[in-house]
PDB file of all heavy atoms in Angstrom:
ATOM      1  N   GLU M   1     -13.956 -40.904-119.115  1.00 96.00           N
ATOM      2  CA  GLU M   1     -13.870 -41.476-120.476  1.00 96.00           C
ATOM      3  C   GLU M   1     -14.779 -40.703-121.422  1.00 96.00           C
ATOM      4  O   GLU M   1     -14.398 -40.403-122.563  1.00 96.00           O
ATOM      5  CB  GLU M   1     -14.225 -42.966-120.463  1.00 96.00           C
ATOM      6  CG  GLU M   1     -13.169 -43.846-119.809  1.00 96.00           C
ATOM      7  CD  GLU M   1     -13.593 -45.320-119.790  1.00 96.00           C
ATOM      8  OE1 GLU M   1     -14.791 -45.593-120.099  1.00 96.00           O
ATOM      9  OE2 GLU M   1     -12.762 -46.158-119.460  1.00 96.00           O
ATOM     10  N   PHE M   2     -15.964 -40.367-120.920  1.00 96.00           N
ATOM     11  CA  PHE M   2     -16.920 -39.561-121.728  1.00 96.00           C
ATOM     12  C   PHE M   2     -16.315 -38.198-122.052  1.00 96.00           C
ATOM     13  O   PHE M   2     -16.327 -37.755-123.195  1.00 96.00           O
ATOM     14  CB  PHE M   2     -18.240 -39.452-120.959  1.00 96.00           C
ATOM     15  CG  PHE M   2     -19.206 -38.423-121.523  1.00 96.00           C
ATOM     16  CD1 PHE M   2     -20.022 -38.766-122.607  1.00 96.00           C
ATOM     17  CD2 PHE M   2     -19.294 -37.161-120.968  1.00 96.00           C
ATOM     18  CE1 PHE M   2     -20.898 -37.840-123.117  1.00 96.00           C
ATOM     19  CE2 PHE M   2     -20.194 -36.226-121.470  1.00 96.00           C
ATOM     20  CZ  PHE M   2     -20.992 -36.587-122.552  1.00 96.00           C
ATOM     21  N   ARG M   3     -15.809 -37.531-121.049  1.00 97.00           N
ATOM     22  CA  ARG M   3     -15.238 -36.239-121.205  1.00 97.00           C
ATOM     23  C   ARG M   3     -14.062 -36.217-122.166  1.00 97.00           C
ATOM     24  O   ARG M   3     -13.931 -35.392-123.058  1.00 97.00           O
ATOM     25  CB  ARG M   3     -14.793 -35.678-119.851  1.00 97.00           C
ATOM     26  CG  ARG M   3     -14.173 -34.285-119.853  1.00 97.00           C
ATOM     27  CD  ARG M   3     -13.464 -34.039-118.548  1.00 97.00           C
ATOM     28  NE  ARG M   3     -12.389 -34.986-118.336  1.00 97.00           N
ATOM     29  CZ  ARG M   3     -11.831 -35.277-117.144  1.00 97.00           C
ATOM     30  NH1 ARG M   3     -12.286 -34.686-116.049  1.00 97.00           N
ATOM     31  NH2 ARG M   3     -10.851 -36.146-117.072  1.00 97.00           N
ATOM     32  N   ASP M   4     -13.182 -37.232-122.051  1.00 96.00           N
ATOM     33  CA  ASP M   4     -11.990 -37.302-122.890  1.00 96.00           C
ATOM     34  C   ASP M   4     -12.380 -37.656-124.330  1.00 96.00           C
ATOM     35  O   ASP M   4     -11.738 -37.207-125.284  1.00 96.00           O
ATOM     36  CB  ASP M   4     -11.021 -38.337-122.354  1.00 96.00           C
ATOM     37  CG  ASP M   4     -10.422 -37.908-120.989  1.00 96.00           C
ATOM     38  OD1 ASP M   4     -10.556 -36.708-120.647  1.00 96.00           O
ATOM     39  OD2 ASP M   4      -9.872 -38.773-120.297  1.00 96.00           O
ATOM     40  N   ARG M   5     -13.421 -38.452-124.495  1.00 95.00           N
ATOM     41  CA  ARG M   5     -13.842 -38.846-125.849  1.00 95.00           C
ATOM     42  C   ARG M   5     -14.450 -37.611-126.585  1.00 95.00           C
ATOM     43  O   ARG M   5     -14.193 -37.404-127.753  1.00 95.00           O
ATOM     44  CB  ARG M   5     -14.856 -39.979-125.783  1.00 95.00           C
ATOM     45  CG  ARG M   5     -15.202 -40.575-127.088  1.00 95.00           C
ATOM     46  CD  ARG M   5     -15.869 -41.952-126.920  1.00 95.00           C
ATOM     47  NE  ARG M   5     -17.079 -41.871-126.115  1.00 95.00           N
ATOM     48  CZ  ARG M   5     -17.209 -42.391-124.882  1.00 95.00           C
ATOM     49  NH1 ARG M   5     -16.173 -43.018-124.343  1.00 95.00           N
ATOM     50  NH2 ARG M   5     -18.334 -42.298-124.218  1.00 95.00           N
ATOM     51  N   VAL M   6     -15.225 -36.826-125.853  1.00 95.00           N
ATOM     52  CA  VAL M   6     -15.822 -35.623-126.483  1.00 95.00           C
ATOM     53  C   VAL M   6     -14.714 -34.596-126.726  1.00 95.00           C
ATOM     54  O   VAL M   6     -14.716 -33.945-127.795  1.00 95.00           O
ATOM     55  CB  VAL M   6     -16.897 -35.046-125.541  1.00 95.00           C
ATOM     56  CG1 VAL M   6     -17.372 -33.691-126.020  1.00 95.00           C
ATOM     57  CG2 VAL M   6     -18.092 -36.026-125.462  1.00 95.00           C
ATOM     58  N   ALA M   7     -13.809 -34.396-125.784  1.00 95.00           N
ATOM     59  CA  ALA M   7     -12.672 -33.487-125.942  1.00 95.00           C
ATOM     60  C   ALA M   7     -13.077 -32.109-126.478  1.00 95.00           C
ATOM     61  O   ALA M   7     -12.494 -31.567-127.410  1.00 95.00           O
ATOM     62  CB  ALA M   7     -11.618 -34.103-126.872  1.00 95.00           C
ATOM     63  N   ALA M   8     -14.098 -31.537-125.847  1.00 96.00           N
ATOM     64  CA  ALA M   8     -14.654 -30.283-126.346  1.00 96.00           C
ATOM     65  C   ALA M   8     -13.808 -29.077-125.966  1.00 96.00           C
ATOM     66  O   ALA M   8     -13.433 -28.919-124.795  1.00 96.00           O
ATOM     67  CB  ALA M   8     -16.076 -30.116-125.834  1.00 96.00           C
ATOM     68  N   LYS M   9     -13.559 -28.221-126.926  1.00 95.00           N
ATOM     69  CA  LYS M   9     -12.871 -26.944-126.698  1.00 95.00           C
ATOM     70  C   LYS M   9     -13.811 -25.774-126.936  1.00 95.00           C
ATOM     71  O   LYS M   9     -13.521 -24.643-126.496  1.00 95.00           O
ATOM     72  CB  LYS M   9     -11.649 -26.836-127.580  1.00 95.00           C
ATOM     73  CG  LYS M   9     -10.529 -27.782-127.204  1.00 95.00           C
ATOM     74  CD  LYS M   9      -9.302 -27.547-128.089  1.00 95.00           C
ATOM     75  CE  LYS M   9      -8.172 -28.481-127.662  1.00 95.00           C
ATOM     76  NZ  LYS M   9      -6.973 -28.271-128.538  1.00 95.00           N
ATOM     77  N   SER M  10     -14.888 -25.977-127.672  1.00 95.00           N
ATOM     78  CA  SER M  10     -15.876 -24.934-127.946  1.00 95.00           C
ATOM     79  C   SER M  10     -17.193 -25.578-128.322  1.00 95.00           C
ATOM     80  O   SER M  10     -17.283 -26.792-128.429  1.00 95.00           O
ATOM     81  CB  SER M  10     -15.347 -24.020-129.101  1.00 95.00           C
ATOM     82  OG  SER M  10     -15.272 -24.767-130.293  1.00 95.00           O
ATOM     83  N   ALA M  11     -18.198 -24.766-128.453  1.00 96.00           N
ATOM     84  CA  ALA M  11     -19.547 -25.283-128.797  1.00 96.00           C
ATOM     85  C   ALA M  11     -20.183 -24.418-129.864  1.00 96.00           C
ATOM     86  O   ALA M  11     -19.942 -23.206-129.956  1.00 96.00           O
ATOM     87  CB  ALA M  11     -20.431 -25.306-127.542  1.00 96.00           C
ATOM     88  N   THR M  12     -21.025 -25.052-130.656  1.00 96.00           N
ATOM     89  CA  THR M  12     -21.720 -24.417-131.771  1.00 96.00           C
ATOM     90  C   THR M  12     -23.170 -24.808-131.735  1.00 96.00           C
ATOM     91  O   THR M  12     -23.506 -25.991-131.653  1.00 96.00           O
ATOM     92  CB  THR M  12     -21.062 -24.860-133.104  1.00 96.00           C
ATOM     93  OG1 THR M  12     -19.695 -24.436-133.145  1.00 96.00           O
ATOM     94  CG2 THR M  12     -21.799 -24.235-134.279  1.00 96.00           C
ATOM     95  N   LEU M  13     -24.029 -23.815-131.833  1.00 97.00           N
ATOM     96  CA  LEU M  13     -25.493 -24.078-131.977  1.00 97.00           C
ATOM     97  C   LEU M  13     -25.759 -24.273-133.455  1.00 97.00           C
ATOM     98  O   LEU M  13     -25.340 -23.448-134.313  1.00 97.00           O
ATOM     99  CB  LEU M  13     -26.312 -22.926-131.442  1.00 97.00           C
ATOM    100  CG  LEU M  13     -27.828 -23.082-131.564  1.00 97.00           C
ATOM    101  CD1 LEU M  13     -28.344 -24.180-130.657  1.00 97.00           C
ATOM    102  CD2 LEU M  13     -28.565 -21.782-131.271  1.00 97.00           C
ATOM    103  N   VAL M  14     -26.455 -25.343-133.822  1.00 96.00           N
ATOM    104  CA  VAL M  14     -26.738 -25.682-135.202  1.00 96.00           C
ATOM    105  C   VAL M  14     -28.253 -25.597-135.438  1.00 96.00           C
ATOM    106  O   VAL M  14     -29.046 -26.204-134.672  1.00 96.00           O
ATOM    107  CB  VAL M  14     -26.213 -27.100-135.560  1.00 96.00           C
ATOM    108  CG1 VAL M  14     -26.525 -27.393-137.024  1.00 96.00           C
ATOM    109  CG2 VAL M  14     -24.712 -27.178-135.299  1.00 96.00           C
ATOM    110  N   PHE M  15     -28.637 -24.906-136.496  1.00 94.00           N
ATOM    111  CA  PHE M  15     -30.050 -24.868-136.925  1.00 94.00           C
ATOM    112  C   PHE M  15     -30.153 -25.609-138.221  1.00 94.00           C
ATOM    113  O   PHE M  15     -29.463 -25.310-139.222  1.00 94.00           O
ATOM    114  CB  PHE M  15     -30.488 -23.437-137.091  1.00 94.00           C
ATOM    115  CG  PHE M  15     -31.850 -23.285-137.776  1.00 94.00           C
ATOM    116  CD1 PHE M  15     -32.991 -23.368-137.003  1.00 94.00           C
ATOM    117  CD2 PHE M  15     -31.964 -23.102-139.136  1.00 94.00           C
ATOM    118  CE1 PHE M  15     -34.267 -23.250-137.602  1.00 94.00           C
ATOM    119  CE2 PHE M  15     -33.195 -22.979-139.733  1.00 94.00           C
ATOM    120  CZ  PHE M  15     -34.361 -23.058-138.970  1.00 94.00           C
ATOM    121  N   SER M  16     -31.028 -26.627-138.254  1.00 92.00           N
ATOM    122  CA  SER M  16     -31.280 -27.374-139.468  1.00 92.00           C
ATOM    123  C   SER M  16     -32.595 -26.874-140.086  1.00 92.00           C
ATOM    124  O   SER M  16     -33.613 -26.799-139.361  1.00 92.00           O
ATOM    125  CB  SER M  16     -31.416 -28.865-139.155  1.00 92.00           C
ATOM    126  OG  SER M  16     -31.835 -29.584-140.280  1.00 92.00           O
ATOM    127  N   SER M  17     -32.575 -26.481-141.317  1.00 90.00           N
ATOM    128  CA  SER M  17     -33.719 -25.816-141.894  1.00 90.00           C
ATOM    129  C   SER M  17     -34.928 -26.730-142.040  1.00 90.00           C
ATOM    130  O   SER M  17     -34.849 -27.922-141.759  1.00 90.00           O
ATOM    131  CB  SER M  17     -33.341 -25.222-143.288  1.00 90.00           C
ATOM    132  OG  SER M  17     -32.942 -26.253-144.177  1.00 90.00           O
ATOM    133  N   PHE M  18     -35.990 -26.193-142.484  1.00 80.00           N
ATOM    134  CA  PHE M  18     -37.314 -26.810-142.442  1.00 80.00           C
ATOM    135  C   PHE M  18     -37.368 -28.066-143.349  1.00 80.00           C
ATOM    136  O   PHE M  18     -36.747 -28.114-144.395  1.00 80.00           O
ATOM    137  CB  PHE M  18     -38.342 -25.778-142.909  1.00 80.00           C
ATOM    138  CG  PHE M  18     -38.037 -24.425-142.418  1.00 80.00           C
ATOM    139  CD1 PHE M  18     -37.473 -23.452-143.257  1.00 80.00           C
ATOM    140  CD2 PHE M  18     -38.227 -24.082-141.083  1.00 80.00           C
ATOM    141  CE1 PHE M  18     -37.146 -22.211-142.793  1.00 80.00           C
ATOM    142  CE2 PHE M  18     -37.902 -22.821-140.616  1.00 80.00           C
ATOM    143  CZ  PHE M  18     -37.371 -21.888-141.470  1.00 80.00           C
ATOM    144  N   TYR M  19     -38.178 -29.020-142.872  1.00 69.00           N
ATOM    145  CA  TYR M  19     -38.324 -30.282-143.626  1.00 69.00           C
ATOM    146  C   TYR M  19     -39.762 -30.727-143.531  1.00 69.00           C
ATOM    147  O   TYR M  19     -40.219 -31.196-142.490  1.00 69.00           O
ATOM    148  CB  TYR M  19     -37.378 -31.349-143.049  1.00 69.00           C
ATOM    149  CG  TYR M  19     -37.482 -32.694-143.731  1.00 69.00           C
ATOM    150  CD1 TYR M  19     -37.295 -32.823-145.109  1.00 69.00           C
ATOM    151  CD2 TYR M  19     -37.791 -33.850-143.019  1.00 69.00           C
ATOM    152  CE1 TYR M  19     -37.382 -34.038-145.756  1.00 69.00           C
ATOM    153  CE2 TYR M  19     -37.861 -35.081-143.636  1.00 69.00           C
ATOM    154  CZ  TYR M  19     -37.667 -35.174-145.005  1.00 69.00           C
ATOM    155  OH  TYR M  19     -37.739 -36.407-145.609  1.00 69.00           O
ATOM    156  N   ALA M  20     -40.519 -30.582-144.618  1.00 64.00           N
ATOM    157  CA  ALA M  20     -41.934 -30.913-144.630  1.00 64.00           C
ATOM    158  C   ALA M  20     -42.186 -32.379-144.639  1.00 64.00           C
ATOM    159  O   ALA M  20     -43.319 -32.830-144.407  1.00 64.00           O
ATOM    160  CB  ALA M  20     -42.593 -30.269-145.827  1.00 64.00           C
ATOM    161  N   GLY M  21     -41.184 -33.211-144.863  1.00 66.00           N
ATOM    162  CA  GLY M  21     -41.356 -34.661-144.910  1.00 66.00           C
ATOM    163  C   GLY M  21     -41.562 -35.299-143.540  1.00 66.00           C
ATOM    164  O   GLY M  21     -41.886 -36.505-143.454  1.00 66.00           O
ATOM    165  N   ASN M  22     -41.373 -34.554-142.468  1.00 64.00           N
ATOM    166  CA  ASN M  22     -41.529 -35.087-141.125  1.00 64.00           C
ATOM    167  C   ASN M  22     -42.228 -34.017-140.301  1.00 64.00           C
ATOM    168  O   ASN M  22     -41.712 -32.895-140.137  1.00 64.00           O
ATOM    169  CB  ASN M  22     -40.175 -35.430-140.524  1.00 64.00           C
ATOM    170  CG  ASN M  22     -40.290 -36.054-139.130  1.00 64.00           C
ATOM    171  OD1 ASN M  22     -41.334 -35.980-138.469  1.00 64.00           O
ATOM    172  ND2 ASN M  22     -39.220 -36.711-138.688  1.00 64.00           N
ATOM    173  N   PRO M  23     -43.405 -34.299-139.726  1.00 63.00           N
ATOM    174  CA  PRO M  23     -44.139 -33.282-138.959  1.00 63.00           C
ATOM    175  C   PRO M  23     -43.338 -32.647-137.840  1.00 63.00           C
ATOM    176  O   PRO M  23     -43.476 -31.491-137.568  1.00 63.00           O
ATOM    177  CB  PRO M  23     -45.363 -34.060-138.423  1.00 63.00           C
ATOM    178  CG  PRO M  23     -45.544 -35.184-139.335  1.00 63.00           C
ATOM    179  CD  PRO M  23     -44.169 -35.565-139.814  1.00 63.00           C
ATOM    180  N   SER M  24     -42.458 -33.446-137.205  1.00 61.00           N
ATOM    181  CA  SER M  24     -41.700 -32.920-136.066  1.00 61.00           C
ATOM    182  C   SER M  24     -40.574 -31.999-136.505  1.00 61.00           C
ATOM    183  O   SER M  24     -39.976 -31.298-135.681  1.00 61.00           O
ATOM    184  CB  SER M  24     -41.102 -34.052-135.250  1.00 61.00           C
ATOM    185  OG  SER M  24     -40.166 -34.790-135.985  1.00 61.00           O
ATOM    186  N   SER M  25     -40.292 -31.908-137.819  1.00 67.00           N
ATOM    187  CA  SER M  25     -39.207 -31.067-138.325  1.00 67.00           C
ATOM    188  C   SER M  25     -39.694 -29.959-139.268  1.00 67.00           C
ATOM    189  O   SER M  25     -38.889 -29.333-139.933  1.00 67.00           O
ATOM    190  CB  SER M  25     -38.169 -31.910-139.018  1.00 67.00           C
ATOM    191  OG  SER M  25     -37.573 -32.835-138.150  1.00 67.00           O
ATOM    192  N   VAL M  26     -40.996 -29.765-139.311  1.00 70.00           N
ATOM    193  CA  VAL M  26     -41.542 -28.831-140.270  1.00 70.00           C
ATOM    194  C   VAL M  26     -41.110 -27.397-139.984  1.00 70.00           C
ATOM    195  O   VAL M  26     -41.088 -26.544-140.885  1.00 70.00           O
ATOM    196  CB  VAL M  26     -43.084 -28.936-140.341  1.00 70.00           C
ATOM    197  CG1 VAL M  26     -43.731 -28.348-139.094  1.00 70.00           C
ATOM    198  CG2 VAL M  26     -43.623 -28.291-141.604  1.00 70.00           C
ATOM    199  N   TYR M  27     -40.704 -27.104-138.736  1.00 79.00           N
ATOM    200  CA  TYR M  27     -40.211 -25.765-138.403  1.00 79.00           C
ATOM    201  C   TYR M  27     -38.699 -25.731-138.226  1.00 79.00           C
ATOM    202  O   TYR M  27     -38.140 -24.759-137.786  1.00 79.00           O
ATOM    203  CB  TYR M  27     -40.863 -25.282-137.064  1.00 79.00           C
ATOM    204  CG  TYR M  27     -42.349 -24.990-137.222  1.00 79.00           C
ATOM    205  CD1 TYR M  27     -43.271 -25.869-136.664  1.00 79.00           C
ATOM    206  CD2 TYR M  27     -42.799 -23.886-137.909  1.00 79.00           C
ATOM    207  CE1 TYR M  27     -44.650 -25.613-136.787  1.00 79.00           C
ATOM    208  CE2 TYR M  27     -44.147 -23.627-138.058  1.00 79.00           C
ATOM    209  CZ  TYR M  27     -45.070 -24.498-137.488  1.00 79.00           C
ATOM    210  OH  TYR M  27     -46.413 -24.261-137.636  1.00 79.00           O
ATOM    211  N   GLY M  28     -38.032 -26.835-138.595  1.00 84.00           N
ATOM    212  CA  GLY M  28     -36.606 -26.905-138.418  1.00 84.00           C
ATOM    213  C   GLY M  28     -36.239 -27.702-137.169  1.00 84.00           C
ATOM    214  O   GLY M  28     -37.075 -28.318-136.526  1.00 84.00           O
ATOM    215  N   HIS M  29     -34.952 -27.662-136.805  1.00 90.00           N
ATOM    216  CA  HIS M  29     -34.458 -28.423-135.657  1.00 90.00           C
ATOM    217  C   HIS M  29     -33.231 -27.721-135.100  1.00 90.00           C
ATOM    218  O   HIS M  29     -32.473 -27.073-135.854  1.00 90.00           O
ATOM    219  CB  HIS M  29     -34.130 -29.837-136.077  1.00 90.00           C
ATOM    220  CG  HIS M  29     -33.653 -30.703-134.966  1.00 90.00           C
ATOM    221  ND1 HIS M  29     -34.435 -31.007-133.871  1.00 90.00           N
ATOM    222  CD2 HIS M  29     -32.473 -31.354-134.774  1.00 90.00           C
ATOM    223  CE1 HIS M  29     -33.784 -31.811-133.034  1.00 90.00           C
ATOM    224  NE2 HIS M  29     -32.569 -32.012-133.573  1.00 90.00           N
ATOM    225  N   SER M  30     -33.055 -27.809-133.783  1.00 93.00           N
ATOM    226  CA  SER M  30     -31.871 -27.224-133.132  1.00 93.00           C
ATOM    227  C   SER M  30     -31.060 -28.307-132.468  1.00 93.00           C
ATOM    228  O   SER M  30     -31.603 -29.257-131.885  1.00 93.00           O
ATOM    229  CB  SER M  30     -32.307 -26.205-132.059  1.00 93.00           C
ATOM    230  OG  SER M  30     -33.059 -25.185-132.595  1.00 93.00           O
ATOM    231  N   LEU M  31     -29.717 -28.208-132.581  1.00 95.00           N
ATOM    232  CA  LEU M  31     -28.850 -29.118-131.844  1.00 95.00           C
ATOM    233  C   LEU M  31     -27.550 -28.380-131.566  1.00 95.00           C
ATOM    234  O   LEU M  31     -27.328 -27.246-132.014  1.00 95.00           O
ATOM    235  CB  LEU M  31     -28.573 -30.392-132.626  1.00 95.00           C
ATOM    236  CG  LEU M  31     -27.828 -30.285-133.954  1.00 95.00           C
ATOM    237  CD1 LEU M  31     -27.021 -31.548-134.221  1.00 95.00           C
ATOM    238  CD2 LEU M  31     -28.818 -30.073-135.132  1.00 95.00           C
ATOM    239  N   LEU M  32     -26.672 -29.005-130.773  1.00 97.00           N
ATOM    240  CA  LEU M  32     -25.368 -28.411-130.470  1.00 97.00           C
ATOM    241  C   LEU M  32     -24.273 -29.274-131.092  1.00 97.00           C
ATOM    242  O   LEU M  32     -24.487 -30.476-131.294  1.00 97.00           O
ATOM    243  CB  LEU M  32     -25.122 -28.373-128.962  1.00 97.00           C
ATOM    244  CG  LEU M  32     -25.779 -27.239-128.149  1.00 97.00           C
ATOM    245  CD1 LEU M  32     -25.474 -27.414-126.688  1.00 97.00           C
ATOM    246  CD2 LEU M  32     -25.296 -25.861-128.619  1.00 97.00           C
ATOM    247  N   ARG M  33     -23.142 -28.660-131.404  1.00 96.00           N
ATOM    248  CA  ARG M  33     -21.983 -29.406-131.811  1.00 96.00           C
ATOM    249  C   ARG M  33     -20.849 -29.066-130.810  1.00 96.00           C
ATOM    250  O   ARG M  33     -20.570 -27.901-130.558  1.00 96.00           O
ATOM    251  CB  ARG M  33     -21.527 -29.050-133.216  1.00 96.00           C
ATOM    252  CG  ARG M  33     -20.442 -29.967-133.797  1.00 96.00           C
ATOM    253  CD  ARG M  33     -19.992 -29.589-135.177  1.00 96.00           C
ATOM    254  NE  ARG M  33     -19.196 -28.384-135.144  1.00 96.00           N
ATOM    255  CZ  ARG M  33     -19.273 -27.392-136.029  1.00 96.00           C
ATOM    256  NH1 ARG M  33     -20.147 -27.492-137.025  1.00 96.00           N
ATOM    257  NH2 ARG M  33     -18.518 -26.338-135.962  1.00 96.00           N
ATOM    258  N   LEU M  34     -20.234 -30.112-130.269  1.00 96.00           N
ATOM    259  CA  LEU M  34     -19.103 -29.926-129.381  1.00 96.00           C
ATOM    260  C   LEU M  34     -17.817 -30.078-130.188  1.00 96.00           C
ATOM    261  O   LEU M  34     -17.558 -31.167-130.723  1.00 96.00           O
ATOM    262  CB  LEU M  34     -19.149 -30.955-128.237  1.00 96.00           C
ATOM    263  CG  LEU M  34     -20.408 -30.871-127.368  1.00 96.00           C
ATOM    264  CD1 LEU M  34     -20.390 -32.009-126.304  1.00 96.00           C
ATOM    265  CD2 LEU M  34     -20.534 -29.524-126.690  1.00 96.00           C
ATOM    266  N   ASN M  35     -17.025 -29.027-130.281  1.00 95.00           N
ATOM    267  CA  ASN M  35     -15.890 -28.975-131.188  1.00 95.00           C
ATOM    268  C   ASN M  35     -14.603 -29.344-130.495  1.00 95.00           C
ATOM    269  O   ASN M  35     -14.290 -28.806-129.423  1.00 95.00           O
ATOM    270  CB  ASN M  35     -15.773 -27.548-131.782  1.00 95.00           C
ATOM    271  CG  ASN M  35     -17.080 -27.033-132.329  1.00 95.00           C
ATOM    272  OD1 ASN M  35     -17.726 -27.689-133.156  1.00 95.00           O
ATOM    273  ND2 ASN M  35     -17.512 -25.863-131.881  1.00 95.00           N
ATOM    274  N   LYS M  36     -13.836 -30.188-131.129  1.00 93.00           N
ATOM    275  CA  LYS M  36     -12.507 -30.495-130.639  1.00 93.00           C
ATOM    276  C   LYS M  36     -11.522 -29.385-130.968  1.00 93.00           C
ATOM    277  O   LYS M  36     -10.381 -29.392-130.480  1.00 93.00           O
ATOM    278  CB  LYS M  36     -12.028 -31.824-131.221  1.00 93.00           C
ATOM    279  CG  LYS M  36     -12.833 -33.036-130.783  1.00 93.00           C
ATOM    280  CD  LYS M  36     -12.247 -34.324-131.372  1.00 93.00           C
ATOM    281  CE  LYS M  36     -12.988 -35.531-130.858  1.00 93.00           C
ATOM    282  NZ  LYS M  36     -14.397 -35.610-131.274  1.00 93.00           N
ATOM    283  N   SER M  37     -11.944 -28.453-131.821  1.00 83.00           N
ATOM    284  CA  SER M  37     -11.130 -27.314-132.175  1.00 83.00           C
ATOM    285  C   SER M  37     -11.882 -26.073-131.739  1.00 83.00           C
ATOM    286  O   SER M  37     -12.923 -26.156-131.068  1.00 83.00           O
ATOM    287  CB  SER M  37     -10.854 -27.261-133.670  1.00 83.00           C
ATOM    288  OG  SER M  37     -12.135 -27.160-134.363  1.00 83.00           O
ATOM    289  N   ASP M  38     -11.370 -24.909-132.118  1.00 75.00           N
ATOM    290  CA  ASP M  38     -12.020 -23.663-131.737  1.00 75.00           C
ATOM    291  C   ASP M  38     -13.096 -23.302-132.779  1.00 75.00           C
ATOM    292  O   ASP M  38     -12.993 -22.340-133.531  1.00 75.00           O
ATOM    293  CB  ASP M  38     -10.989 -22.529-131.670  1.00 75.00           C
ATOM    294  CG  ASP M  38     -11.585 -21.244-131.137  1.00 75.00           C
ATOM    295  OD1 ASP M  38     -12.701 -21.285-130.562  1.00 75.00           O
ATOM    296  OD2 ASP M  38     -10.974 -20.190-131.315  1.00 75.00           O
TER     297      ASP M  38
END
């Protein structure tokens, strides 16, 4: 059910730029996006 709900065909690394309002994000943040398309 988890696999079918995600339905990933590709993956994207996402960089979120710097945010001085939160100490843990002052250098930015990294995450992935699982794409249902290419």
Side-chain angles (χ1 to χ4, degrees):
E1 288 178 351
F2 169 81
R3 181 195 61 200
D4 294 344
R5 189 163 58 249
V6 171
K9 291 184 179 179
S10 64
T12 299
L13 179 69
V14 180
F15 171 84
S16 173
S17 61
F18 323 103
Y19 179 56
N22 184 342
S24 65
S25 297
V26 73
Y27 292 107
H29 182 61
S30 301
L31 64 150
L32 281 176
R33 190 182 72 221
L34 300 177
N35 310 306
K36 294 181 176 67
S37 60
D38 186 17

